[in-house]
Amino acid sequence: MSHSGTTLILIMAIAVLAPLLAYGVGRRLPVPLVIFEILLGILIGPDVLDWARPDALIDGLSQLGLTMLIFLAGYEIEFGKVRGDTLRRSVWAWTAALVLGLSTGVLLGGGYTKGVFIGVALTSTALGTVLPVLRDAGELHGRFGSVVMAFGAVGEFGPIIAMALLLSGRGAAESTALLAVFAALTAGAVYWALRPRPPWFSKVIAKTLHTSGQFAVRFVFLLLALMLGASTALGLDVLLGAFAAGLITRLVLTGAAPDSGPQILEKIEGVGFGFLVPVFFVVTGIEFDLDSLLDGGRTLLLLPVFLLLFLAVRGGPIWFLAPRDLDRKDRTGLVLYGSTALPLVVAITTIGVDDKALPAGEAAALVGAGMLSVLVFPLLALRLRAGAGAGEKPLPSEAVSGSEAW
């Protein structure tokens, strides 16, 4: 059997084992699935058992997994429900975090290029990890849940834009101009998505939903390919195209197939969370530079430093700019949820290592800190706010999110 085949079998075996472990452990302690995928990837990787090594095929599947991850993140966000004063405060909080993050990153990294990767990573929020925790705790549909949604949405959207502007290797003016062109294309796509679809469109979706035709699923992947092509043609990161495709897909399905939308999303998530996204996270573990992290010295010390910086850089502005109606417990819970980071940290560090701008050891410290954040911060927030949401009435405009934790 080829090396690619062996590695792929091991990756898929981990993809099957990880949910079982998460289910078993979750009865006592909620641990996000992604933690098991990365840890088991480290176990079979070169630094431990040395059973698996990525090659061109595995790396290609991993990149597709990252693309699907960001696409589903874009689909998750409902900007219509995060607006007004709360949205303004969340934007200002993220902007302040970006300034703090870039300043801290440059100081820690000893230079602008490395500092930008570190700084942008410190501003992200793992909304996809946080939402299921809130949903299971019965807090997603109240005032607190809506605030977490707003701050988390900006914590996912902001870093994507920052990556396009700051990590492209071009001048600020050129990057801004290209981003403006992409924004205009996206706005045009949004306008098209909001227009009523012809009757035949909905009929074909309904008729092929449970057949081999799968028109809706194929149409979604066409939208994804078009937005990826647009971002690539403009020299922007494909993650921006994937995120925009997720936003547009939600609008199209909401308008054209409101009844079938959840079923279509389940099919897309089946491809993403059932295959491609686990490949990305397991490969992240395989490529994790454990030796550099455990060699001691500065790299190992950076892990707790980065964990504290997630709280200081991302959480500090959230504390000061949180809506005034939140009490101290709610404000602290918002800080903890908002400072939870991992998926975008993995994406940003992967790009940094590939571009040879970020050393593998420091990338490992950042990813390690992100893993600790998704393990510790939501659990602390839950315990802190135990009983705080009791009796909190749901907001009438909010609906249940169907996405899984990533």
Side-chain angles (χ1 to χ4, degrees):
M1 185 179 293
S2 68
H3 182 73
S4 293
T6 303
T7 300
L8 185 58
I9 289 173
L10 289 170
I11 289 172
M12 296 317 300
I14 288 174
V16 172
L17 179 60
L20 298 176
L21 293 175
Y23 174 76
V25 175
R27 288 179 291 182
R28 296 178 178 83
L29 182 69
V31 178
L33 177 63
V34 60
I35 297 295
F36 292 105
E37 291 169 345
I38 293 177
L39 288 178
L40 291 172
I42 294 173
L43 179 65
I44 66 170
D47 290 345
V48 184
L49 297 177
D50 197 17
W51 289 352
R53 290 177 180 270
D55 55 16
L57 173 62
I58 301 300
D59 282 337
L61 290 173
S62 176
Q63 288 302 310
L64 285 174
L66 175 58
T67 300
M68 282 299 298
L69 184 67
I70 302 303
F71 169 83
L72 290 167
Y75 188 96
E76 246 174 21
I77 295 175
E78 300 178 69
F79 282 104
K81 297 178 182 176
V82 288
R83 50 192 174 190
D85 179 67
T86 300
L87 180 58
R88 285 192 293 272
R89 287 175 176 272
S90 62
V91 170
W92 280 113
W94 183 82
T95 304
L98 181 63
V99 173
L100 287 173
L102 291 177
S103 303
T104 304
V106 170
L107 288 175
L108 275 178
Y112 175 78
T113 303
K114 188 198 300 185
V116 169
F117 282 96
I118 295 173
V120 174
L122 291 174
T123 69
S124 66
T125 296
L127 183 62
T129 299
V130 166
L131 289 185
V133 175
L134 290 171
R135 184 169 60 243
D136 293 344
E139 294 183 335
L140 184 59
H141 309 300
R143 168 62 176 161
F144 180 74
S146 70
V147 173
V148 174
M149 173 73 81
F151 279 79
V154 176
E156 284 194 332
F157 185 68
I160 296 289
I161 299 299
M163 289 167 67
L165 284 172
L166 302 175
L167 304 181
S168 63
R170 291 184 295 266
E174 183 183 359
S175 295
T176 303
L178 291 173
L179 189 60
V181 173
F182 183 81
L185 291 173
T186 302
V190 168
Y191 173 75
W192 169 82
L194 291 173
R195 296 187 64 188
R197 304 268 72 78
W200 65 263
F201 191 85
S202 300
K203 288 180 180 178
V204 174
I205 287 179
K207 194 167 184 177
T208 62
L209 188 60
H210 301 292
T211 71
S212 59
Q214 296 293 325
F215 171 76
V217 175
R218 299 181 186 196
F219 184 79
V220 168
F221 280 110
L222 173 61
L223 282 179
L224 176 58
L226 288 172
M227 296 310 295
L228 292 179
S231 59
T232 301
L234 292 171
L236 300 171
D237 196 282
V238 293
L239 300 187
L240 185 61
F243 194 86
L247 295 174
I248 295 165
T249 297
R250 172 179 281 278
L251 295 175
V252 171
L253 294 184
T254 300
D259 296 329
S260 304
Q263 297 178 63
I264 297 168
L265 177 60
E266 286 179 6
K267 294 174 182 289
I268 303 300
E269 285 185 334
V271 177
F273 292 126
F275 176 44
L276 293 173
V277 173
V279 171
F280 169 66
F281 281 121
V282 176
V283 171
T284 296
I286 294 173
E287 295 179 340
F288 189 87
D289 196 343
L290 187 63
D291 283 347
S292 296
L293 187 63
L294 297 182
D295 276 346
R298 182 175 183 271
T299 302
L300 186 59
L301 288 175
L302 280 176
L303 192 151
V305 169
F306 284 140
L307 184 64
L308 292 175
L309 284 175
F310 283 132
L311 277 175
V313 170
R314 181 72 179 115
I318 291 176
W319 173 269
F320 289 107
L321 289 166
R324 296 176 182 176
D325 61 311
L326 298 187
D327 61 23
R328 182 174 290 271
K329 278 189 176 181
D330 285 347
R331 193 177 290 250
T332 305
L334 178 62
V335 166
L336 289 167
Y337 283 127
S339 303
T340 301
L342 183 59
L344 282 178
V345 173
V346 173
I348 292 167
T349 55
T350 298
I351 295 171
V353 172
D354 289 345
D355 291 349
K356 303 189 185 306
L358 190 65
E362 294 186 21
L366 261 172
V367 173
M371 291 169 64
L372 286 177
S373 77
V374 301
L375 273 172
V376 176
F377 293 166
L379 186 61
L380 289 177
L382 281 175
R383 292 188 175 180
L384 176 70
R385 299 192 68 256
E392 194 175 346
K393 295 182 180 179
L395 295 178
S397 62
E398 294 207 88
V400 176
S401 169
S403 347
E404 295 296 330
W406 49 273

